[in-house]
Amino acid sequence: MSEQAFISVDNICKSYQLGTREVNVLQNVSFQIAKGDRVALLGPSGSGKTTLLNMLGMIDFPSEGSIQMESLSPSARPKELQSFRRNFVSYVYQQYHLLPQFSALDNVCLPLVPIKVSFNLRERAKQLLERVGLGERIDHLPSELSGGEQQRVAIARALITSPRLLLCDEPTGNLDTSTRDSILDLLIQINQEDQTTLIIATHDPEVAKVCHRSIHIRDGQIDAHVTS
């Protein structure tokens, strides 16, 4: 891995056994991502984007090849991987995955509730909700929020651990164009102000345009690299 590479993906393949048939999801995928970069994984449904995103978050692993992270040893043990997933990386999904019985504030707190922290958790969650434009909605349940507002809660929740890597899987897929653009503006702001490395899996070329570059994936292989 080069000195500049924050993430280095080297010739990875991923396959699953489906009965007696082997299904190839990713084939010979290689690329590097710099710290603070903003990258789109662009491709149609079924192209392998989500599988690749899961491997970048170390919740799935290649069948062949390797993925190296700046702060993670290639031979990391389960406890190191658990710490990495908790402290280094966060996810934002197309589905918001908010717990319906909890307020926006409580949903944002959830990732750190089981963990002893050195700061006031609820105060930090409140600050994050204010940052994403929901300072007046902290006590509202998800059912009382619009889709765009729920996605902003999900983004605040992802930020509660101060991640260095933010992985977004079709984060605007359920939103109208205006709301999509406001969510993208927020993600860009986070990337620029916090230097959080941002990777967005999307099928939408308009989403990919806001990134520094796009990695086009088709049928489990890289089809092209495009710099915006």
Side-chain angles (χ1 to χ4, degrees):
M1 182 165 64
S2 71
E3 285 187 0
Q4 290 75 30
F6 183 63
I7 301 171
S8 183
V9 177
D10 185 22
N11 206 36
I12 65 169
C13 300
K14 182 65 177 181
S15 60
Y16 296 99
Q17 202 68 31
L18 191 62
T20 59
R21 185 165 62 96
E22 186 176 67
V23 179
N24 294 315
V25 182
L26 292 170
Q27 302 173 60
N28 306 117
V29 171
S30 297
F31 58 85
Q32 292 188 340
I33 294 176
K35 186 184 298 183
D37 208 351
R38 190 163 71 241
V39 177
L41 304 177
L42 179 64
S45 178
S47 60
K49 305 186 302 297
T50 295
T51 298
L52 180 54
L53 212 65
N54 288 339
M55 287 193 284
L56 293 173
M58 297 294 171
I59 59 176
D60 198 0
F61 301 93
S63 304
E64 299 177 31
S66 67
I67 298 177
Q68 296 184 50
M69 303 278 179
E70 180 189 67
S71 66
L72 188 67
S73 164
S75 58
R77 297 179 179 181
K79 282 190 175 181
E80 291 175 290
L81 288 171
Q82 184 182 43
S83 177
F84 169 87
R85 288 189 289 260
R86 184 175 64 235
N87 301 313
F88 184 92
V89 60
S90 282
Y91 274 87
V92 177
Y93 298 96
Q94 180 175 351
Q95 305 296 333
Y96 318 122
H97 299 302
L98 303 179
L99 295 185
Q101 69 273 36
F102 291 134
S103 68
L105 184 69
D106 288 333
N107 267 285
V108 173
C109 290
L110 279 174
L112 292 181
V113 166
I115 301 165
K116 185 177 180 180
V117 295
S118 59
F119 52 85
N120 185 314
L121 179 56
R122 293 182 69 82
E123 184 58 33
R124 173 159 173 75
K126 181 180 177 182
Q127 290 169 357
L128 286 170
L129 285 167
E130 289 171 348
R131 182 180 183 185
V132 302
L134 293 178
E136 304 298 318
R137 311 282 277 171
I138 63 173
D139 295 323
H140 286 246
L141 296 174
S143 61
E144 299 169 325
L145 302 173
S146 69
E149 288 172 332
Q150 289 185 66
Q151 190 61 293
R152 288 174 181 270
V153 175
I155 292 170
R157 181 184 58 194
L159 297 179
I160 195 74
T161 59
S162 301
R164 297 171 62 196
L165 174 63
L166 188 58
L167 303 175
C168 302
D169 194 0
E170 298 283 3
T172 60
N174 287 336
L175 306 175
D176 60 59
T177 301
S178 176
T179 308
R180 176 199 70 185
D181 292 346
S182 70
I183 292 296
L184 290 176
D185 287 344
L186 176 59
L187 291 173
I188 292 168
Q189 179 188 34
I190 291 163
N191 167 250
Q192 292 176 335
E193 293 182 357
D194 301 351
Q195 283 298 292
T196 303
T197 303
L198 178 64
I199 303 176
I200 304 176
T202 182
H203 67 277
D204 185 349
E206 294 303 312
V207 173
K209 284 180 182 178
V210 308
C211 294
H212 299 138
R213 63 191 177 102
S214 301
I215 299 171
H216 292 218
I217 302 175
R218 184 175 294 277
D219 298 327
Q221 296 179 301
I222 292 181
D223 193 42
H225 290 263
V226 178
T227 302
S228 299

